[in-house]
Amino acid sequence: MTPERRERLMTTLNRRQPDLTVVLEDVQDPHNVAAVLRTCDAVGIQDIYIISTMAPRRKRWGHRSSSSAERWLTLHQFDNQAACVEALRKKYDKILTTHLSADAVSLHDIDFTGSVALVFGNEQNGVSETMRNLADGNFIIPQMGIIRSLNISVACAVSIYEAMRQKNNAGHYDQRKLPAAQYNMLLEDWGFRGEAWKEDEDWK
């Protein structure tokens, strides 16, 4: 690995945010998942949780749409909500679902300087009642039009860019936050992956 590539990897890892994650529950369109992965990489999210209760686990998620993002992310896949929430509770203080309800808070009222997991549901039915009951609350994205929902990948992008804005203002991207063990493991793994895919434009 060249010194320039190593420096690029280290710079990226230094900006990863281990206290922010996205959870996708039964999202059916692999291109939507791939688009979410690409946005997660862009804002510095490393760990993404995928719940699939309606179909078998997938090995790949729309390579072209994700622009190879999944190569640089850690995907945790589950076949039920309870197991996923159990894993989330070990790392994140709050689990919030996207759901229009009387007690839902605005996206802009969430404190993203804390530890937060955001849950997005599938294209037809949104987040399941099971998942909502296991979470700590609901949030909505403020909208001014007649249609009350956004495409899943758009909703996720809007939400985590708000998180990035808050975290950037709080200086979270100015210091390394990944635990040393995870940092070193990813640096070694990414170095290997980069060599394996060194013809990839995103890696050059």
Side-chain angles (χ1 to χ4, degrees):
M1 188 192 322
T2 65
E4 293 78 11
R5 287 179 175 178
R6 183 176 180 84
E7 180 64 26
R8 180 178 175 185
L9 295 181
M10 293 177 66
T11 298
T12 300
L13 285 171
N14 287 338
R15 294 171 177 167
R16 287 309 206 213
Q17 303 295 306
D19 54 2
L20 177 65
T21 193
V22 163
V23 183
L24 301 178
E25 183 192 25
D26 286 322
V27 176
Q28 300 297 299
D29 187 340
H31 296 290
N32 280 335
V33 177
V36 167
L37 298 184
R38 185 172 184 175
T39 309
C40 286
D41 173 67
V43 304
I45 296 175
Q46 179 62 39
D47 293 275
I48 294 91
Y49 294 76
I50 298 175
I51 303 171
S52 301
T53 68
M54 301 179 180
R57 297 182 182 184
R58 296 177 61 95
K59 293 184 178 180
R60 300 299 302 275
W61 295 96
H63 171 71
R64 184 176 300 176
S65 298
S66 66
S67 191
S68 308
E70 65 179 297
R71 296 175 185 169
W72 313 104
L73 302 173
T74 304
L75 305 186
H76 306 272
Q77 297 199 57
F78 299 85
D79 57 15
N80 69 86
Q81 293 89 345
C84 182
V85 169
E86 182 180 0
L88 291 170
R89 293 292 181 197
K90 296 176 182 178
K91 292 188 63 176
Y92 306 96
D93 294 337
K94 284 188 178 181
I95 302 173
L96 301 175
T97 65
T98 47
H99 181 65
L100 183 62
S101 63
D103 62 345
V105 300
S106 167
L107 167 69
H108 303 298
D109 291 331
I110 299 173
D111 181 8
F112 284 109
T113 63
S115 178
V116 183
L118 301 180
V119 184
F120 300 87
N122 72 34
E123 295 86 345
Q124 287 76 39
N125 302 312
V127 179
S128 70
E129 182 178 359
T130 298
M131 193 66 190
R132 297 198 306 270
N133 289 337
L134 291 169
D136 299 307
N138 306 303
F139 76 96
I140 57 173
I141 300 171
Q143 297 176 59
M144 307 303 171
I146 294 176
I147 300 173
R148 302 291 296 276
S149 64
L150 296 170
N151 171 274
I152 169 63
S153 62
V154 174
C156 181
V158 169
S159 300
I160 62 178
Y161 265 89
E162 168 62 16
M164 185 178 77
R165 183 190 68 81
Q166 291 187 29
K167 294 170 78 63
N168 188 52
N169 288 343
H172 288 201
Y173 290 93
D174 299 331
Q175 55 186 328
R176 195 178 89 182
K177 300 182 70 178
L178 282 176
Q182 185 182 14
Y183 180 97
N184 293 329
M185 179 189 69
L186 287 171
L187 182 60
E188 180 179 355
D189 184 46
W190 284 10
F192 170 78
R193 293 187 183 200
E195 289 302 313
W197 283 295
K198 58 186 176 182
E199 298 304 320
D200 192 322
E201 287 298 323
D202 287 335
W203 168 240
K204 293 177 181 178

